[in-house]
Amino acid sequence: MIPNDDGRDRRTLRSQKWSTARCDVTTQERRIRDERRTLFSSRKWKEAEAHFLISLPLILARIKHGREKWISRLWRRLRIQWNTSNTTRMAQAMMVVMTRPNTSILYSLVSFENSTVYDGLVQDRPGTARMTEHSAATSDTNPIELKYRGMKAAGGAAAWYFIPVVGGAAVPRRQLETLENVEIGSHPNSWNNVGRKHRPKLRDNKPHRLKAAQSRTTRVVRFETYTLQDGQMTLETDSDLLVQAKQFLLHSSRAYIRTGTARKYRRSETTATVLLSPDSHTGTLQSAMKWASRRRDEWVIFTVDKRHTRRLRRTSHYDAMVAIAVSVCRELDDVCATMSVYDLYALHWTSRRLCSPGIHIRNTAVIERELWSRGFLVRPTGSMVLKLPPSAQVSKLEARIAFRQTMIHSNLADTLVAPLMYALRIVEQSERQLGRALDTTKLWINSGKESCTCHLYPSSFPMRHGHIFIPSWEYTGPFKQTMTALMSSTVRSQYSPDAFKLAQYSCWKRNLPLGLLGEIWIYDRPDYPPEIVQHPLSSFRVRQLKTYLEDLVVMGIDKCRNRKLVLCPLLFRQKYRSTFPVQDDQVHFERITLSVEDYAAWLKKEYDRRKWYQIATWHNGSPPIPYNLWKLKDIITPCEKVMASKGKCCRQRPISPNTHHWCRRVFRRVGSVLRLICLSLPRSSVNFIRSQDLLQYIKEWNGSVDPEEVTRVILHVGDIANCYDELNHNDCLDGVAWALSNMPQWQQTTARPRRTIDRYSVDRFSRRDITAGPDLTSDRTRIELNTNQILSVCEFDIRNSILCIDGVLWKRLLGAPMGGFLSAFYAMLNFAYVEHKCVMPMFTKMGIPGGVKRYMDDIIVALLCRNPDEVAAATAFVHELNKPSVYPPPLCLNMEPQGNQEFLEANVTVSDNQLALSLNNKVVVDALYRLPPYRQRLSTKVSRAANRRVMQGILTRIIQSTSSDELIVTGILALRYEAQYYQMQDSLIRQVVSQAQVQARERQERDVEKALNKASQAMAK
Ligand SMILES: [Zn+2]
Ligand SMILES: [Zn+2]
């Protein structure tokens, strides 16, 4: 026998016969794959199953002869599991488990072209059924799931073989899942792990952090280890001391040495002898350990015949870096000035590893300054971001490769390429949406022009108030197809050969010295297909339309994301003025005399004075420039009608986006605290902030009383008018302060009880990760905010909300801006405080089953009355709610009359003295009344995948907000009607519903699954 450790590759000693067989099976496998491809492309699934079962012995032979590491590993597993290495016999066993209906299988999807595998399980049905599901999903023209997309790219369905790894009689599901997880865990490179969020980034593996030791595959059986001295056994548990002994005794399950010790002593000449057995092994300590670890349940004596100790030494470069990082103090600037860029980066990492945090921060500052002075703007711990536009048409990997080539071909030192690649991060920019591309509101607001341009366009264009006014669904001018398309569809970007070059150039310019840039490396793609000019969504067409409409304003419509409004600039300007009447309205606005730059400087001073840098960094921003959205209701109803009912027509929604505010990061961080507070409001409170919770509340109200007892249901909805514009600043702050002081009580039910909560800690990167109380993590990475800071930020924000109109700053004296980071929370907490004081006591005193709930400014009151007295009390309660003493003016609660109601997106109805909830499909209502398609969400012009996503979203909302099976069925039938109305194929809705069924089954939501089954039966009729 050839010893294992002679360094020779055993595979080179295979016989000639073996290599012939290997060549043979490889050719055979290719033939099988071709046959499979033909079967799949003609969608003959049954025949493909039979074909697979027949060719199984050959496929197994290919695995057996596979040279690739992962394939030989797979073969080893198969050999052990099926207890044979004869491919025919193994195939027979597999065939049995794959065709029988009551078996459980753990399987791998394997391709010989790709080392990634997919592990899965089948339970209580034949494996062939699951196999066909996989093949069908991969053969789909546009697979939904990431893994199928990957598999399609890596050879397609034909290349992926379904190999049962473990199989037998039905195994309990939980046991099977545990096994599956073990399988998946043993393949880090697996489709099951593809697309997982929060994958550890390369950068996070800090060089100085040791990884957790990998667990051994064999279970440790005996923990005791002994040293032997003159036949005397002494217990010695310190493995370092143990290995230093001349002779020691180990159980075979413990035969391994720690890496550090192994590096030192592994070359020592050692004899290993099995206790009470003649077996022995002579070699190095390392090989002896390996030999011993392969034995089962035996004690092994190790005798170190001659000890070789290796001294570990760092390179002189490392020592030099350590010396500089640790000992140079004041002259670090001078030392750094003489070092190379590579050494500077190395010095940073050495300092990070060895120095105390304080010294490291000081070192970093010096190193970064030195790097900046040489034009290297990328920080040692930072990243170089390469933004890939869609028109570049390269993948992330291709971009990495290309940028590496660019660096190699540049004048950068070769040693720098590897560390810089480590910092490179590729970000794919999203495709542009049609609505974004067409909207010109911002341009018109900033241009200040306001002349009428109606004469430049055909007089046949629809008008309102004497000027052009066209909702995009009514547009009939040139490029009609582009304008009437859904604004959420993406513009088909053209391949531009320069886009990738430009992206690399700008990345380099932002991070590295421009003078060192050589030739930029790009891919040659001469035969790239030219742009489809004819398509209404091609970027060419969109540009043409924009040019045609350049003298008109294209603006957004409120609550109607899929459409735009085209109108005359003069009309637009009038509406803009009346939406933000800063000049005339001294009650709401006050002029700020400072210029924008001076205001920013003043704000920075305030920021420093209030020490907000402890909360978040300063953003080099700009003032919010407000814009308006036309209200949909006022477009679809003629002006006269709106005038008659509301007293004014063509109403607008004001938005002042704070997205670029200088303190945006501060506000957002405080916002996450306020969000936590709103989420911790007790369940009994009126406020709720997740709209999908409504169903739960309705179910609770129904369940709180016996339906036989109920005689009448009082149901009202209403909304609080002036919710944002008229909020009183002091009331808002009172609300915030009240909520902060009540947090300890509200938190008690969930977390550890506390007497006071004086601070909150937020994760630096994830706004949703927030806890009440101090930062308890070991490395102190979270940001703490105390209640005083929160209150002071809120107060500053609400008293200093500004808007910039025509370059002049105005301060808002009343109300919170729509579009501010904290505005929604002010409104919520303001109302919550009012309700806590008035509404809840009233409601509790009344004692009628049912409830009062508010989502933002919408209120629902549902009372299940059991006798005439309660009806009277309930009516009085609703009457009382409407009084200004509850929601004080200028707030104003408008209640709809009693009866079935629309609330949020849903219909709330009363049937058999119980409340019922169902999703309100307004699109279907519009279609039935033959109204214009302004709410259209599905379109044949966009991709099937996009339509599917929209339908999936609607289906999810149907399930979330519908209270009974029958209503879910009705909702899905309505969705099908919508799909048919917009000429979708019927197969699409079936696919969406069956996917939802699979998901419900996986999540074990039996009710949902049952309802969906009913729906698909109803659709089949
Ligand atoms: Zn005009
Ligand atoms: Zn009007």
Side-chain angles (χ1 to χ4, degrees):
M1 201 190 107
I2 305 148
N4 292 330
D5 51 344
D6 61 353
R8 265 191 288 167
D9 190 348
R10 281 177 61 185
R11 277 178 307 203
T12 53
L13 301 172
R14 294 273 203 215
S15 65
Q16 187 65 39
K17 199 174 146 200
W18 170 274
S19 16
T20 325
R22 199 170 62 77
C23 284
D24 195 38
V25 288
T26 320
T27 347
Q28 295 275 24
E29 190 267 326
R30 291 229 179 89
R31 180 182 56 77
I32 292 169
R33 211 189 302 168
D34 290 339
E35 287 166 3
R36 272 158 73 84
R37 198 164 290 133
T38 7
L39 285 172
F40 285 144
S41 61
S42 52
R43 313 206 147 239
K44 291 180 180 159
W45 305 121
K46 278 284 156 222
E47 284 168 40
E49 277 175 19
H51 177 258
F52 173 76
L53 292 179
I54 294 166
S55 28
L56 200 49
L58 260 169
I59 300 166
L60 292 176
R62 168 71 180 86
I63 297 177
K64 183 179 180 179
H65 289 86
R67 260 190 178 182
E68 301 88 335
K69 219 175 200 169
W70 80 90
I71 291 184
S72 50
R73 221 179 297 138
L74 176 69
W75 176 248
R76 198 156 58 232
R77 264 162 60 226
L78 290 175
R79 217 178 51 206
I80 295 167
Q81 291 295 345
W82 299 98
N83 206 13
T84 173
S85 50
N86 181 319
T87 50
T88 324
R89 225 171 292 150
M90 192 187 287
Q92 276 165 353
M94 284 181 179
M95 256 182 247
V96 173
V97 291
M98 277 190 69
T99 45
R100 234 190 265 151
N102 58 339
T103 47
S104 313
I105 301 178
L106 274 181
Y107 62 89
S108 290
L109 281 183
V110 184
S111 153
F112 297 109
E113 307 284 294
N114 194 309
S115 66
T116 316
V117 300
Y118 174 79
D119 296 304
L121 61 84
V122 193
Q123 196 195 22
D124 289 346
R125 58 179 177 145
T128 44
R130 182 75 184 131
M131 177 173 82
T132 302
E133 276 174 20
H134 278 303
S135 316
T138 316
S139 304
D140 199 2
T141 39
N142 193 4
I144 323 141
E145 286 179 61
L146 207 59
K147 58 172 186 255
Y148 293 134
R149 257 186 271 156
M151 287 185 202
K152 194 177 168 69
W160 291 88
Y161 295 103
F162 184 97
I163 307 293
V165 180
V166 184
V171 180
R173 182 161 183 101
R174 181 167 297 183
Q175 203 179 331
L176 207 59
E177 275 170 359
T178 325
L179 271 171
E180 186 193 16
N181 288 335
V182 170
E183 282 285 309
I184 294 171
S186 67
H187 295 131
N189 184 18
S190 148
W191 291 111
N192 306 66
N193 298 326
V194 164
R196 287 277 158 87
K197 281 181 184 170
H198 312 299
R199 242 183 301 169
K201 287 181 206 139
L202 267 176
R203 273 181 303 129
D204 288 355
N205 299 331
K206 293 172 191 160
H208 66 280
R209 273 197 199 159
L210 288 173
K211 271 191 186 167
Q214 291 230 320
S215 59
R216 298 284 300 177
T217 41
T218 46
R219 195 165 58 91
V220 174
V221 182
R222 306 299 295 260
F223 280 101
E224 317 91 272
T225 49
Y226 303 93
T227 54
L228 285 169
Q229 238 170 356
D230 313 326
Q232 275 282 332
M233 253 168 61
T234 323
L235 189 69
E236 178 55 75
T237 49
D238 186 330
S239 62
D240 290 356
L241 290 178
L242 186 83
V243 175
Q244 281 169 29
K246 192 164 163 40
Q247 203 171 35
F248 53 92
L249 180 64
L250 284 178
H251 190 260
S252 58
S253 67
R254 283 219 66 185
Y256 60 91
I257 348 174
R258 251 175 16 92
T259 316
T261 327
R263 279 193 189 138
K264 212 165 167 184
Y265 299 123
R266 67 178 163 205
R267 302 267 169 100
S268 308
E269 286 164 25
T270 310
T271 313
T273 327
V274 175
L275 202 65
L276 309 176
S277 152
D279 286 2
S280 74
H281 169 94
T282 319
T284 60
L285 179 59
Q286 193 181 19
S287 72
M289 281 287 172
K290 206 168 169 189
W291 176 81
S293 69
R294 266 191 246 117
R295 308 197 66 90
R296 285 186 78 88
D297 200 15
E298 277 168 332
W299 288 94
V300 185
I301 305 168
F302 292 84
T303 317
V304 180
D305 303 322
K306 192 173 179 199
R307 190 171 290 278
H308 291 288
T309 312
R310 233 177 107 199
R311 303 235 171 274
L312 298 172
R313 219 178 268 136
R314 298 279 187 186
T315 59
S316 56
H317 181 257
Y318 183 87
D319 290 337
M321 290 302 132
V322 172
I324 297 171
V326 176
S327 52
V328 178
C329 275
R330 296 189 193 290
E331 296 83 26
L332 193 61
D333 294 67
D334 303 335
V335 176
C336 282
T338 60
M339 288 167 79
S340 73
V341 174
Y342 176 79
D343 285 350
L344 285 172
Y345 282 116
L347 179 63
H348 173 270
W349 288 106
T350 319
S351 149
R352 182 181 157 134
R353 185 180 167 171
L354 293 171
C355 298
S356 64
I359 294 179
H360 175 58
I361 289 170
R362 191 208 59 193
N363 285 351
T364 310
V366 177
I367 293 166
E368 282 184 358
R369 208 179 313 132
E370 184 57 37
L371 282 171
W372 286 340
S373 74
R374 301 192 197 178
F376 284 83
L377 298 182
V378 48
R379 291 155 186 259
T381 45
S383 50
M384 287 198 292
V385 179
L386 175 61
K387 287 183 190 159
L388 266 189
S391 56
Q393 310 256 19
V394 288
S395 70
K396 277 187 171 183
L397 182 63
E398 284 173 326
R400 281 193 86 82
I401 294 169
F403 198 74
R404 185 161 180 273
Q405 289 299 324
T406 305
M407 288 204 282
I408 287 172
H409 291 126
S410 72
N411 296 325
L412 282 179
D414 287 350
T415 44
L416 270 177
V417 175
L420 286 177
M421 280 307 288
Y422 188 64
L424 182 66
R425 203 154 62 85
I426 313 273
V427 176
E428 278 175 330
Q429 287 178 316
S430 56
E431 300 258 357
R432 216 157 43 127
Q433 286 198 340
L434 180 62
R436 277 271 180 89
L438 289 178
D439 199 308
T440 52
T441 324
K442 298 255 155 70
L443 290 176
W444 283 98
I445 292 173
N446 291 328
S447 76
K449 280 190 260 173
E450 51 178 305
S451 51
C452 172
T453 52
C454 294
H455 59 279
L456 298 172
Y457 291 89
S459 55
S460 60
F461 273 8
M463 302 256 184
R464 180 178 279 200
H465 298 295
H467 294 281
I468 287 179
F469 179 90
I470 323 165
S472 67
W473 65 87
E474 285 174 7
Y475 181 83
T476 49
F479 318 110
K480 177 179 171 228
Q481 285 203 316
T482 311
M483 196 71 210
T484 49
L486 296 187
M487 291 298 156
S488 55
S489 36
T490 48
V491 178
R492 302 190 170 195
S493 53
Q494 176 194 9
Y495 166 66
S496 132
D498 288 336
F500 185 41
K501 210 171 184 176
L502 214 67
Q504 288 192 53
Y505 178 81
S506 62
C507 171
W508 187 290
K509 197 175 148 196
R510 253 180 290 119
N511 296 297
L512 303 169
L514 203 53
L516 296 184
L517 175 60
E519 196 185 344
I520 295 178
W521 203 88
I522 51 164
Y523 292 95
D524 290 329
R525 296 206 163 141
D527 52 349
Y528 212 86
E531 188 183 11
I532 320 129
V533 178
Q534 294 306 321
H535 197 278
L537 290 174
S538 68
S539 58
F540 180 70
R541 271 292 152 89
V542 174
R543 261 198 316 277
Q544 278 184 318
L545 174 64
K546 277 192 85 168
T547 320
Y548 178 71
L549 292 177
E550 67 186 354
D551 290 308
L552 293 176
V553 183
V554 182
M555 70 180 286
I557 301 172
D558 188 33
K559 290 181 186 157
C560 183
R561 289 185 307 130
N562 279 333
R563 302 292 178 185
K564 292 277 163 188
L565 186 64
V566 182
L567 75 167
C568 169
L570 187 65
L571 192 59
F572 172 75
R573 204 68 194 179
Q574 280 172 6
K575 289 299 154 199
Y576 188 68
R577 286 259 173 72
S578 62
T579 316
F580 305 102
V582 283
Q583 305 274 6
D584 319 317
D585 188 347
Q586 265 109 42
V587 182
H588 286 84
F589 301 102
E590 183 188 68
R591 192 179 164 145
I592 297 173
T593 45
L594 298 172
S595 71
V596 173
E597 290 77 37
D598 292 345
Y599 185 80
W602 171 79
L603 200 63
K604 181 77 177 44
K605 236 179 244 164
E606 282 293 303
Y607 169 90
D608 289 336
R609 191 176 65 81
R610 291 162 185 261
K611 297 189 180 162
W612 282 353
Y613 44 79
Q614 291 168 351
I615 304 176
T617 50
W618 173 260
H619 174 67
N620 216 345
S622 56
I625 298 175
Y627 63 94
N628 48 338
L629 293 175
W630 208 289
K631 286 198 179 173
L632 179 64
K633 262 188 204 159
D634 294 14
I635 294 177
I636 52 181
T637 31
C639 281
E640 305 81 56
K641 260 193 188 165
V642 184
M643 202 67 170
S645 64
K646 303 277 176 184
K648 48 185 167 183
C649 69
C650 303
R651 286 168 303 159
Q652 312 282 316
R653 182 173 296 281
I655 312 271
S656 49
N658 265 342
T659 34
H660 299 292
H661 194 279
W662 299 278
C663 296
R664 57 170 294 202
R665 293 177 191 144
V666 178
F667 294 157
R668 287 185 91 150
R669 209 147 265 168
V670 172
S672 60
V673 178
L674 296 188
R675 185 172 169 276
L676 175 73
I677 292 173
C678 288
L679 279 172
S680 341
L681 282 171
R683 227 181 127 68
S684 61
S685 76
V686 176
N687 190 76
F688 71 105
I689 71 172
R690 298 184 334 142
S691 57
Q692 62 263 41
D693 288 348
L694 182 65
L695 180 62
Q696 201 56 44
Y697 292 126
I698 296 257
K699 281 187 176 162
E700 272 171 29
W701 297 341
N702 277 336
S704 64
V705 63
D706 180 7
E708 300 292 315
E709 284 180 41
V710 180
T711 54
R712 193 168 157 206
V713 180
I714 303 274
L715 178 63
H716 285 274
V717 301
D719 67 331
I720 302 171
N722 301 328
C723 171
Y724 282 98
D725 296 343
E726 310 289 340
L727 279 184
N728 182 309
H729 291 174
N730 290 331
D731 290 350
C732 292
L733 293 173
D734 285 352
V736 175
W738 162 76
L740 279 172
S741 65
N742 274 292
M743 272 302 275
Q745 299 161 24
W746 298 339
Q747 282 273 306
Q748 246 170 32
T749 46
T750 53
R752 298 181 299 275
R754 296 166 186 280
R755 240 174 299 144
T756 54
I757 295 179
D758 59 348
R759 69 190 96 167
Y760 298 84
S761 67
V762 195
D763 186 86
R764 212 172 273 269
F765 303 108
S766 153
R767 267 183 298 137
R768 305 231 152 175
D769 180 2
I770 169 160
T771 44
D775 175 10
L776 295 174
T777 54
S778 55
D779 42 1
R780 296 290 218 156
T781 48
R782 297 163 75 89
I783 288 169
E784 285 185 1
L785 292 101
N786 62 40
T787 42
N788 289 334
Q789 279 174 321
I790 293 161
L791 274 174
S792 102
V793 171
C794 287
E795 182 167 9
F796 185 86
D797 172 43
I798 202 164
R799 297 217 192 281
N800 289 286
S801 76
I802 53 158
L803 24 105
C804 175
I805 290 175
D806 294 332
V808 180
L809 290 176
W810 300 82
K811 193 197 273 188
R812 196 184 283 271
L813 296 176
L814 207 59
M818 214 176 273
F821 292 111
L822 306 175
S823 303
F825 300 118
Y826 295 144
M828 258 188 259
L829 292 174
N830 182 359
F831 298 153
Y833 188 31
V834 169
E835 284 146 4
H836 170 79
K837 283 188 295 188
C838 313
V839 182
M840 285 323 288
M842 255 165 33
F843 178 74
T844 327
K845 209 175 87 191
M846 199 168 54
I848 302 176
V852 191
K853 285 284 160 191
R854 178 179 49 75
Y855 180 83
M856 287 308 303
D857 51 349
D858 291 317
I859 290 190
I860 181 167
V861 183
L863 297 163
L864 301 138
C865 306
R866 289 165 293 195
N867 50 51
D869 291 350
E870 287 193 340
V871 174
T875 322
F877 171 73
V878 175
H879 187 70
E880 197 68 29
L881 263 189
N882 259 322
K883 281 190 180 162
S885 55
V886 178
Y887 295 102
L891 299 177
C892 172
L893 178 67
N894 303 315
M895 281 291 206
E896 302 281 335
Q898 206 247 317
N900 292 346
Q901 307 283 359
E902 277 179 33
F903 185 67
L904 305 180
E905 266 196 308
N907 280 322
V908 191
T909 48
V910 179
S911 64
D912 300 337
N913 287 330
Q914 288 270 290
L915 296 162
L917 191 70
S918 61
L919 190 76
N920 186 8
N921 193 330
K922 286 188 181 162
V923 182
V924 172
V925 178
D926 294 347
L928 289 174
Y929 283 100
R930 303 268 163 225
L931 293 176
Y934 42 81
R935 285 205 187 93
Q936 186 182 349
R937 330 177 241 202
L938 301 167
S939 162
T940 45
K941 286 204 195 69
V942 301
S943 68
R944 191 179 158 93
N947 282 325
R948 184 165 44 203
R949 272 198 298 278
V950 173
M951 284 166 87
Q952 277 165 346
I954 301 170
L955 186 59
T956 313
R957 290 208 298 280
I958 290 178
I959 295 168
Q960 275 173 355
S961 60
T962 306
S963 55
S964 72
D965 288 1
E966 292 78 47
L967 290 173
I968 288 185
V969 174
T970 326
I972 290 172
L973 289 178
L975 176 60
R976 183 166 74 149
Y977 180 84
E978 180 185 343
Q980 282 168 351
Y981 189 79
Y982 290 110
Q983 287 145 29
M984 297 290 117
Q985 285 169 358
D986 220 26
S987 63
L988 193 60
I989 176 115
R990 278 175 214 284
Q991 205 182 2
V992 169
V993 172
S994 67
Q995 253 169 35
Q997 270 173 307
V998 172
Q999 272 172 9
R1001 200 179 306 144
E1002 275 171 9
R1003 290 189 205 134
Q1004 312 214 325
E1005 295 165 335
R1006 301 249 176 272
D1007 308 348
V1008 177
E1009 195 188 336
K1010 211 172 75 199
L1012 289 171
N1013 279 338
K1014 279 188 194 167
S1016 54
Q1017 279 164 19
M1019 278 201 298
K1021 271 178 205 161

